[in-house]
Amino acid sequence: MTTILIIGIFEALFLGILVLTKRQKAVPDYFLAVLLFVMGFTIVASYIEQYNIANNYPYPFFIHVSPPLIFLHGPLLWFYIKSFTTVKFKFKPHYLLHFAPFLLAFILMWVSTYSMPAESRIAEMQSENFKANPIYPVMVTGIALFTQGYFIWGLLLISRYRKKIRNYYSKVENIDLSWLKFILVAAIIAYAINSLLFLGDYFLDLLNFQVLQLSTFIVGSLFILTMGFYGLRQTNVFYSVNQPGINVEKQAHADNQQPLQTKDEAFVHQLLEYMNIEKPYLKPDLTLKELSHQLNVSPDYFSGILNRNLHMRFFDFVNQFRVEAFKDACQDKAKQNFSIIAIAYDCGFNSKATFNRVFKNMTGYTPGAYQKKAQ
């Protein structure tokens, strides 16, 4: 079973090196690499503890080294998401507070375990008397609450980000961080299983510590393998430098401003006329920045017009023209032999799933049902 730990160690190190050797790196890449190395070292510590138990403790220094390290997993993953979704992210001094629980955990472990002579640490490990120490349930409960709290916080950041990118992009399927949401959900499940095993053992004395630790770190290794497989399969887990950063705090504040004045109605008329005549929506990856440049206005002004005058996000605004173009095409006899997806691509869509979802939301019909109705 320890073979899985070894695989997890090499997987974490391999992925960390892969991130650091990219030609183009951004701040999120460094957080991701550090996270992978910390997770790898956490499993290294667990593996050595298993080796200690099986070989009469030749390395007593590594007894209980892994618990404080787990307090770094949540903050580092949070920093990765935060830097990924924030424009020009900078590490601020108060961010150091995120590492306070790790420091506190290390101090508690130093007082209860690390400062003890090697012989005493070995004797306590063999007898499992450390479970009677009040610090043990505090550490187990702290890990459970702290890791889950950060993973849920990360999901909230992604949720806010996914809502905001629709204010800037007409195509979001490659930038909506679905892969990262999947990783966070996997982390919640994996760490929840580990926490429940430790808490259940503390109250019910289910397993000896060797089996308990081996089982939980095998789950952790499987999580790293899942993250690596999914990331390499999706590829964009290692491609963050060109991903859009959205300052969700700044945008949320902007959304609370006063409604625009009637003087902007002239621009609205110009905008709608431009969309109908020039048809910029036919470009699949049209962005708010690009369209605002074509209209000679700033992106912030354009975004304000859409949000507070037309009450729409950029994603919905552009795709409504694509939907109308598809509806018109369905009534064009010259295109009656075209497939639905071919017509959709001609109208500016480039994802079947996105097209189906957007069309159904805007019309109440599936594309197939509407095409039959139109013909």
Side-chain angles (χ1 to χ4, degrees):
M1 295 295 287
T2 56
T3 302
I4 298 178
L5 298 182
I6 296 175
I7 294 174
I9 292 168
F10 281 99
E11 179 81 3
L13 295 177
F14 169 74
L15 294 176
I17 293 172
L18 183 62
V19 171
L20 289 180
T21 53
K22 289 188 348 178
R23 288 188 178 181
Q24 292 180 305
K25 290 185 291 293
V27 173
D29 296 311
Y30 292 102
F31 281 120
L32 179 59
V34 173
L35 170 63
L36 289 167
F37 289 140
V38 168
M39 294 179 75
F41 185 71
T42 305
I43 299 178
V44 167
S46 173
Y47 176 80
I48 295 178
E49 286 204 57
Q50 293 296 314
Y51 183 86
N52 271 334
I53 295 172
N55 294 275
N56 199 28
Y57 297 91
Y59 305 108
F61 171 81
F62 280 90
I63 294 177
H64 297 317
V65 168
S66 58
L69 293 174
I70 300 176
F71 282 90
L72 292 175
H73 296 183
L76 287 172
L77 186 53
W78 181 87
F79 275 116
Y80 176 61
I81 299 169
K82 180 70 173 177
S83 61
F84 206 114
T85 58
T86 303
V87 176
K88 297 180 180 178
F89 174 84
K90 292 183 179 179
F91 192 92
K92 300 175 182 178
H94 70 269
Y95 285 160
L96 291 173
L97 292 174
H98 289 276
F99 300 108
F102 160 73
L103 181 60
L104 178 61
F106 181 82
I107 292 173
L108 289 176
M109 291 301 297
W110 178 269
V111 171
S112 65
T113 303
Y114 300 158
S115 60
M116 295 172 58
E119 295 79 7
S120 299
R121 294 174 69 178
I122 293 172
E124 187 178 67
M125 185 67 178
Q126 290 175 328
S127 64
E128 297 191 7
N129 286 335
F130 60 85
K131 292 184 180 180
N133 192 317
I135 292 178
Y136 179 76
V138 171
M139 291 290 293
V140 172
T141 305
I143 289 174
L145 296 177
F146 194 70
T147 53
Q148 295 298 321
Y150 268 95
F151 297 151
I152 294 172
W153 193 357
L155 285 176
L156 292 176
L157 284 179
I158 292 176
S159 177
R160 295 174 65 186
Y161 172 86
R162 296 176 73 176
K163 292 179 181 178
K164 294 303 176 184
I165 58 175
R166 291 173 178 259
N167 287 327
Y168 299 88
Y169 299 90
S170 64
K171 166 191 166 187
V172 299
E173 55 267 15
N174 294 327
I175 59 173
D176 64 353
L177 303 189
S178 295
W179 54 268
L180 190 49
K181 181 180 179 180
F182 172 84
I183 288 174
L184 275 169
V185 172
I188 289 174
I189 295 172
Y191 284 73
I193 291 173
N194 288 347
S195 295
L196 288 174
L197 283 173
F198 269 94
L199 290 171
D201 175 73
Y202 177 74
F203 289 106
L204 303 175
D205 195 22
L206 300 174
L207 304 167
N208 68 58
F209 189 75
Q210 179 183 6
V211 176
L212 177 65
Q213 186 186 54
L214 179 61
S215 300
T216 54
F217 278 94
I218 284 176
V219 174
S221 298
L222 291 175
F223 165 68
I224 293 177
L225 292 172
T226 301
M227 182 170 65
F229 171 78
Y230 193 83
L232 290 174
R233 183 170 174 266
Q234 296 296 319
T235 69
N236 56 2
V237 69
F238 303 118
Y239 184 68
S240 60
V241 68
N242 291 325
Q243 292 282 11
I246 304 297
N247 193 328
V248 293
E249 289 83 4
K250 180 178 179 181
Q251 184 62 33
H253 174 73
D255 288 344
N256 293 324
Q257 294 178 0
Q258 297 297 319
L260 297 176
Q261 303 300 317
T262 55
K263 64 181 181 180
D264 298 309
E265 291 181 2
F267 172 74
V268 173
H269 177 76
Q270 175 192 353
L271 169 63
L272 297 178
E273 185 177 45
Y274 186 82
M275 295 295 290
N276 286 316
I277 296 175
E278 299 299 329
K279 304 183 187 304
Y281 56 83
L282 295 180
K283 183 180 179 183
D285 56 351
L286 181 69
T287 66
L288 180 136
K289 181 177 180 181
E290 183 179 3
L291 186 54
S292 62
H293 177 74
Q294 295 173 13
L295 295 166
N296 296 315
V297 295
S298 70
D300 288 340
Y301 175 79
F302 189 14
S303 179
I305 290 287
L306 293 176
N307 293 333
R308 292 179 290 274
N309 199 334
L310 299 180
H311 308 291
M312 301 181 73
R313 295 172 296 185
F314 182 74
F315 176 87
D316 300 314
F317 174 75
V318 172
N319 281 305
Q320 74 170 356
F321 285 93
R322 293 171 177 166
V323 167
E324 290 302 319
F326 177 86
K327 291 164 67 176
D328 291 341
C330 286
Q331 300 179 28
D332 187 348
K333 293 183 179 180
K335 296 184 178 180
Q336 286 185 352
N337 294 325
F338 285 26
S339 67
I340 291 176
I341 194 62
I343 298 175
Y345 284 176
D346 285 343
C347 295
F349 290 99
N350 72 340
S351 167
K352 182 178 180 181
T354 299
F355 166 63
N356 289 334
R357 183 176 65 253
V358 169
F359 191 88
K360 180 67 180 297
N361 289 340
M362 290 188 176
T363 67
Y365 293 95
T366 64
Y370 184 87
Q371 188 183 49
K372 292 180 180 179
K373 176 176 176 291
Q375 293 176 352

